[in-house]
Amino acid sequence: MPYIIGCDIGTTNVKTTAFDAATGAILTSHSGSYEMYHPKPTWSEQDPDEIFKALCESVREVSASCIAKGELAGISFSSAMHGVLALDENGKHLSNLIIWADNRSAEIAASLKASEEGKKMYLNNGTPIHAMTPVCKLLWLKEHQPEVFRKAAKFIGIKEYVIYKLTGQFLVDYSIASATGLFNIREKNWDKWTLKHIGLDEKCLSKAVSPYHMEKLSAGNDFKVPEGTPLIMGASDGCLANLGSGAISPTSLAITIGTSAAIRVCSGEPFLDDKMRTFCYILDEDTYVVGGASNNGGVIFEWLKNTFFPDLKFEEVFAEADTIDAASDGLLFFPYLLGERAPLWSSKVRGGFTGLDIQHTKAHFVRAVMEGILLNLLSVGQVLLEKNKILTIYANGGFANSSIWVQMLADVFGIRVSLNDTVDTGTVGAVMMGLKALGIAKDFSEMTVFTPISVLFEPNAAKHQVYKTVAGRFNEQNVVFPSFS
């Protein structure tokens, strides 16, 4: 039987997994890590060659382990979004890869967001104006490194670099392109108005192609897989997380809480929020993914644990929260320790506690932090709930290891939560897209073996009523929550 490889190029590591194409069974998996560099405050960069090397080693390990297990049908990709890498006409780096976490363009982003031009960019292209957005990074390069901007023959992201290294072609899938702030999500092409406004020639960008587009690998390729093996472009990690979790229907939400966090819903048509709180990216030609990503997911709980409970295990800290009633006896936490993307889209906003009372204990702080992370996601989710009747939340990510936290999610939203059997939903989504591109499966509905559910959590109606009141307090105070220069 054939097998298929899915590659997820993440922020700090690449994960490569081989799946049986018929049963969805994982045959083998391998991951590799790479460094993030901070040459100046607020800067976050990576060496694209380190990432490519880790990816090649990972694919080689997986394919070598599967030689006796069948024929390799293809390799499909999931990738992080929002990166910018400048290359000269010979394909040599003029910069490192400036990744999503880079905040050097924060002032440019704030000014653009407040302008009519910024709003038009958002309404055309679906990407909120923020320091993470490639259009803001390009404006920063144009202003602060004009020689790099002038010399660059191409501005690309990490997946484009991988495809270029493997095939010699500059190609970008609609999904990754739709997260640049440069791509018209209705026309599915580079947005001429935006390019003219920032002074960028379309020839400096990759050719936009379908996420189902395939290229054949040549002999002697860096992956060391057979000549002619198809490479499937795939999509962005966020969009594929919806597909890989099973949240492909407009009546379902996907919520991921790992280091960061995200909430997303699929739609058959683009949806733009007049207040610019949500993104609208492309999964494929017929499907948009609408939602918001937060900087402040599990990393905030990890900060709490390491700072105040260094001698306890994570499960022991979660147990502390379970001793406190819903809403933490009035203690409310705003989780913006790292600035924020959705719904505020501000690099300067910072977190804090309100409602602090002498009765509050360490356990109250634990529960308030867990609740604050969820309430922030709910503030984004409420935009989506206005448009969609959501029946099920598909949850995944590291937070899913705590049944206490997952139950809290069900109670905060008042919606049943289905816990995915895997946290690697981006890789699974890439494989599902690859199988459809290859014609092994005709439709995603045929691939339910790839999206198993391990357990269901039903919301507690009484606790949900409490959280509805708390969510009102959270949203009211969020409007005036402080930013710091």
Side-chain angles (χ1 to χ4, degrees):
M1 291 295 293
Y3 71 95
I4 183 168
I5 289 176
C7 300
D8 183 29
I9 308 168
T11 302
T12 56
N13 67 82
V14 60
K15 180 110 180 246
T16 301
T17 306
F19 296 81
D20 184 293
T23 67
I26 294 177
L27 303 179
T28 188
S29 187
H30 185 273
S31 62
S33 61
Y34 28 82
E35 293 295 321
M36 186 188 302
Y37 302 103
H38 306 283
K40 293 185 180 181
T42 77
W43 290 28
S44 295
E45 299 180 347
Q46 290 178 311
D47 183 337
D49 287 325
E50 289 182 7
I51 298 174
F52 184 68
K53 180 182 178 183
L55 173 64
C56 290
E57 290 174 352
S58 188
V59 172
R60 289 171 196 156
E61 287 284 340
V62 167
S63 59
S65 299
C66 292
I67 288 176
K69 295 180 180 179
E71 180 182 353
L72 175 57
I75 301 172
S76 187
F77 294 97
S78 166
S79 173
M81 298 173 273
H82 310 303
V84 172
L85 169 67
L87 299 180
D88 69 13
E89 59 186 7
N90 298 312
K92 301 213 172 189
H93 310 169
L94 293 171
S95 70
N96 264 338
L97 177 70
I98 306 172
I99 67 169
W100 66 268
D102 190 281
N103 275 313
R104 72 185 72 179
S105 64
E107 290 186 8
I108 288 172
S111 177
L112 185 61
K113 182 185 176 187
S115 70
E116 287 301 314
E117 291 83 1
K119 186 166 187 178
K120 183 169 182 178
M121 285 182 192
Y122 169 76
L123 294 175
N124 284 1
N125 307 324
T127 307
I129 305 299
H130 182 265
M132 72 167 190
T133 313
V135 69
C136 297
K137 294 179 170 75
L138 290 170
L139 286 169
W140 185 93
L141 286 171
K142 185 178 182 181
E143 181 177 334
H144 295 278
Q145 295 183 356
E147 188 173 352
V148 171
F149 189 86
R150 180 179 57 80
K151 285 185 176 180
K154 291 290 180 184
F155 292 106
I156 61 174
I158 187 57
K159 193 201 290 188
E160 294 155 83
Y161 187 69
V162 166
I163 298 297
Y164 168 68
K165 294 281 283 185
L166 292 169
T167 70
Q169 297 189 66
F170 287 105
L171 302 172
V172 62
D173 59 80
Y174 296 154
S175 187
I176 290 291
S178 70
T180 62
L182 302 163
F183 192 78
N184 191 299
I185 57 175
R186 296 173 186 84
E187 298 175 1
K188 296 182 177 65
N189 213 332
W190 298 113
D191 188 58
K192 290 181 173 50
W193 184 89
T194 301
L195 296 184
K196 183 178 180 180
H197 183 77
I198 68 171
L200 185 67
D201 195 309
E202 187 173 333
K203 70 182 182 182
C204 293
L205 302 171
S206 299
K207 179 183 177 182
V209 297
S210 166
Y212 301 109
H213 180 85
M214 291 187 288
E215 293 287 331
K216 298 288 184 72
L217 281 171
S218 61
N221 59 79
D222 288 306
F223 282 172
K224 298 194 183 323
V225 296
E227 179 182 3
T229 297
L231 294 183
I232 301 97
M233 291 296 295
S236 68
D237 53 1
C239 291
L240 287 172
N242 263 60
L243 178 58
S245 67
I248 197 70
S249 161
T251 61
S252 59
L253 273 176
I255 290 182
T256 304
I257 305 179
T259 301
S260 56
I263 177 169
R264 304 170 300 269
V265 64
C266 287
S267 172
E269 59 186 24
F271 169 71
L272 286 308
D273 174 47
D274 190 56
K275 296 179 181 178
M276 300 193 291
R277 292 169 292 181
T278 56
F279 58 65
C280 183
Y281 299 150
I282 295 172
L283 173 62
D284 63 15
E285 288 85 343
D286 302 314
T287 312
Y288 295 85
V289 176
V290 184
S294 167
N295 292 347
N296 301 287
V299 66
I300 304 303
F301 189 86
E302 186 175 0
W303 160 82
L304 175 87
K305 189 262 182 200
N306 292 341
T307 304
F308 300 104
F309 303 92
D311 299 325
L312 296 184
K313 297 178 180 177
F314 276 100
E315 53 268 29
E316 293 174 318
V317 183
F318 288 129
E320 291 276 335
D322 207 28
T323 66
I324 304 300
D325 291 336
S328 303
D329 292 319
L331 185 63
L332 192 61
F333 176 64
F334 295 86
Y336 308 129
L337 275 61
L338 297 169
E340 189 51 295
R341 287 180 284 172
L344 303 178
W345 300 103
S346 169
S347 299
K348 293 183 177 180
V349 68
R350 286 298 179 266
F353 293 88
T354 65
L356 181 60
D357 191 285
I358 200 166
Q359 68 173 320
H360 291 131
T361 65
K362 288 194 295 184
H364 283 92
F365 281 87
V366 176
R367 188 173 187 98
V369 166
M370 294 165 70
E371 290 175 338
I373 292 167
L374 297 179
L375 288 166
N376 187 55
L377 287 174
L378 178 63
S379 68
V380 183
Q382 285 167 337
V383 182
L384 310 179
L385 292 168
E386 291 172 3
K387 184 174 175 61
N388 299 79
K389 174 65 175 175
I390 302 299
L391 303 178
T392 305
I393 294 172
Y394 291 86
N396 52 76
F399 96 113
N401 293 317
S402 167
S403 60
I404 296 168
W405 209 352
V406 178
Q407 182 61 56
M408 198 182 294
L409 171 64
D411 297 341
V412 167
F413 278 76
I415 299 171
R416 175 192 299 117
V417 175
S418 294
L419 200 61
N420 286 117
D421 206 25
T422 175
V423 297
D424 297 320
T425 49
T427 309
V428 172
V431 163
M432 292 171 69
M433 185 163 271
L435 291 173
K436 186 175 178 180
L438 292 163
I440 294 174
K442 292 182 180 179
D443 192 80
F444 296 135
S445 62
E446 299 177 14
M447 301 184 231
T448 53
V449 292
F450 287 90
T451 56
I453 299 300
S454 60
V455 65
L456 296 175
F457 292 78
E458 296 291 344
N460 180 297
K463 290 183 179 181
H464 177 58
Q465 289 303 312
V466 171
Y467 282 126
K468 283 178 72 174
T469 301
V470 175
R473 281 181 57 212
F474 186 93
N475 291 339
E476 286 171 9
Q477 295 183 47
N478 226 5
V479 173
V480 294
F481 212 70
S483 296
F484 299 97
S485 321

